[in-house]
């Protein structure tokens, strides 16, 4: 493992990241249950209220919760400075985020004003507190330049996505700050997926690919110019209202080239041992290229293959097959690594305690990670089937429940071993 240039002296409590990860999994399980009870008709349009609720279970509920928790650990490691009063900020944000996101999801299903008002207030306060705390650190001069710059862009994209989302929610309450326009909804989705999700994945990849996989560093030009290129394309989407499809096409090319280059770096890693995380990266690369090819095909040809909702199909594939695949891969590395690192920091005060340290495979055995990958492949296959033949939705709900329950088991198992080791160290 290559740890050069990283700082582990300002890590926040490990309980914080586990709390975020467990909440994220619970949101995903909620999404699976919603699929189970919603029937096949929700798959016929992306505007169905239950489909909007399901989408936000996975985007705001699962993906964003994981990313916000991981940022609290990543920032002090790569930047050398943590958020002041991180415990209070993290706990306050998580409470507002969980109740705000739950209110938002419920408001799609039961469109009553009290739920929408609660979502606007709770999400505004929660993200306001978190983002102010993060910005107070990110405005400083930090090390690991390109990663920090990309994180700054990702947070700008998150802020823009949130503002658009809150304005659309306010419009539903009768506060017509912005007009009803499908273009605004598209902007919300494009900035969320291609900005917030993709840019943060790129920022974290710059660090964890050389670090965890002992692979070569990313090319300096890619590190310096790729984030700028994506942010310029995203800004162009706002300005060029009539050219959204062309700009989405360019964003797909950029992300496809990035993930292919990343897989090329992984092929050059020094120890070519079987690694489930690498399989997740490769699967996400295949998924992104598939989405890119499907995007190029004319709509009537897609419909001939049974794809009646191309936008819904492509968005679902990007979110679940590309973004969530990468997040699973990252979680499989982050959970055991942070558990080991936190314990190691405690043992540095007394080297005789080092013998109590479990190795990383004990925190997360490779066969358990491999099982998660196979479950993910099954879910991905059933998702594609459901997008074409909506009657498969019950099987999709079942495979999602299996997959995320297994992820929850891995989280709990890892934390239990951490707690048991801490007890031994303290005794």
């Amino acid at each position: 493992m290559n740890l050069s240039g990283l700082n582990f002296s300002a890590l926040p409590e490990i309980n914080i990241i586990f709390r975020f990860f467990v909440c994220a999994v619970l949101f995903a399980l909620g999404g699976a249950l919603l699929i189970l009870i919603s029937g096949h008709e929700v798959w016929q349009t992306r505007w169905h209220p239950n489909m909007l609720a399901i989408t936000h279970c996975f985007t705001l509920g699962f993906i964003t919760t994981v990313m916000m928790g991981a940022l609290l650990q990543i920032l002090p490691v790569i930047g050398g400075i943590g958020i002041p009063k991180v415990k209070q900020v993290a706990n306050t944000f998580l409470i507002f985020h969980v109740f705000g996101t739950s209110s938002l999801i419920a408001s799609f299903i039961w469109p009553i004003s009290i739920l929408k008002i609660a979502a606007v207030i709770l999400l505004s306060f929660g993200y306001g507190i978190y983002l102010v705390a993060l910005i107070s650190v990110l405005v400083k001069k930090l090390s690991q330049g390109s990663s920090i710059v990309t994180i700054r862009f990702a947070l700008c994209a998150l802020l823009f996505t949130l503002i658009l989302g809150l304005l659309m929610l306010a419009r539903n309450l009768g506060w017509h700050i912005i007009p009803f326009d499908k273009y605004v909804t598209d902007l919300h989705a494009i900035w969320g997926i291609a900005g917030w999700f993709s840019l943060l994945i790129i920022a974290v990849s710059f660090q964890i690919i050389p670090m965890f996989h002992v692979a070569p560093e990313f090319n300096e030009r890619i590190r310096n110019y790729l984030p700028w290129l994506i942010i310029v394309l995203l800004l162009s989407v706002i300005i060029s209202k009539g050219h959204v499809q062309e700009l989405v096409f360019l964003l797909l090319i950029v992300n496809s080239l990035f993930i292919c280059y990343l897989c090329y770096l992984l092929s050059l890693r020094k120890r070519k041992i079987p690694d489930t995380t690498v399989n997740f990266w490769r699967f996400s690369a295949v998924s992104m290229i598939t989405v890119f090819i499907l995007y190029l095909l004319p709509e009537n040809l897609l419909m001939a293959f049974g794809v009646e909702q191309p936008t819904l199909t492509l968005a679902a594939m990007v979110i679940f097959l590309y973004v969530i695949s990468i997040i699973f891969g990252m979680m499989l590395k982050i959970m055991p690594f942070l558990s080991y690192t936190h314990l190691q920091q405690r043992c540095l005060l007394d080297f005789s305690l080092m013998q109590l340290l479990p190795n990383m495979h004990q925190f997360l055995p490779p066969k358990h990670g491999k099982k998660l990958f196979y479950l993910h492949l099954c879910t991905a296959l059933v998702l594609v089937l459901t997008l074409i033949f909506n009657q498969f939705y019950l099987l999709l709900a079942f495979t999602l429940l299996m997959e995320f329950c297994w992820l929850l088991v891995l989280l709990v198992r890892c934390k239990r071993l951490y707690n048991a080791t801490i007890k031994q160290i303290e005794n």
Side-chain angles (χ1 to χ4, degrees), residues 163-219:
I163 290 172
L164 283 181
L166 291 172
L167 287 176
M168 286 190 286
L169 205 53
R171 184 191 61 207
N172 290 337
L173 284 164
W175 307 333
H176 296 284
I177 304 168
I178 55 171
F180 177 79
D181 193 337
K182 184 184 163 192
Y183 168 70
V184 177
T185 313
D186 288 342
L187 267 187
H188 174 69
I190 292 167
W191 272 74
I193 296 172
W196 166 229
F197 297 161
S198 293
L199 280 169
L200 195 60
I201 284 172
I202 290 169
V204 177
S205 304
F206 287 162
Q207 292 300 323
I208 70 167
I209 296 302
M211 172 184 163
F212 283 132
H213 299 285
V214 199
E217 294 279 350
F218 278 77
N219 181 284

Side-chain angles (χ1 to χ4, degrees), residues 103 107 110-120 169 172-175:
S103 301
S107 74
W110 301 287
I112 53 178
S113 298
I114 188 70
L115 288 173
K116 294 173 187 171
I117 292 170
V120 169
L169 205 53
N172 290 337
L173 284 164
W175 307 333

Side-chain angles (χ1 to χ4, degrees), residues 306-350:
V307 181
E308 295 183 358
Q309 295 292 330
T311 306
L312 174 63
T313 300
L314 296 179
M317 289 179 71
V318 170
I319 290 168
F320 195 81
L321 306 189
Y322 176 66
V323 178
I324 292 184
S325 299
I326 291 174
I327 286 180
F328 276 1
M330 287 183 177
M331 288 177 80
L332 290 184
K333 284 293 182 190
I334 289 172
M335 287 190 298
F337 173 73
L338 283 178
S339 301
Y340 180 86
T341 304
H342 276 268
L343 291 172
Q344 190 185 44
Q345 297 291 319
R346 297 288 292 267
C347 293
L348 287 177
L349 301 172
D350 181 353

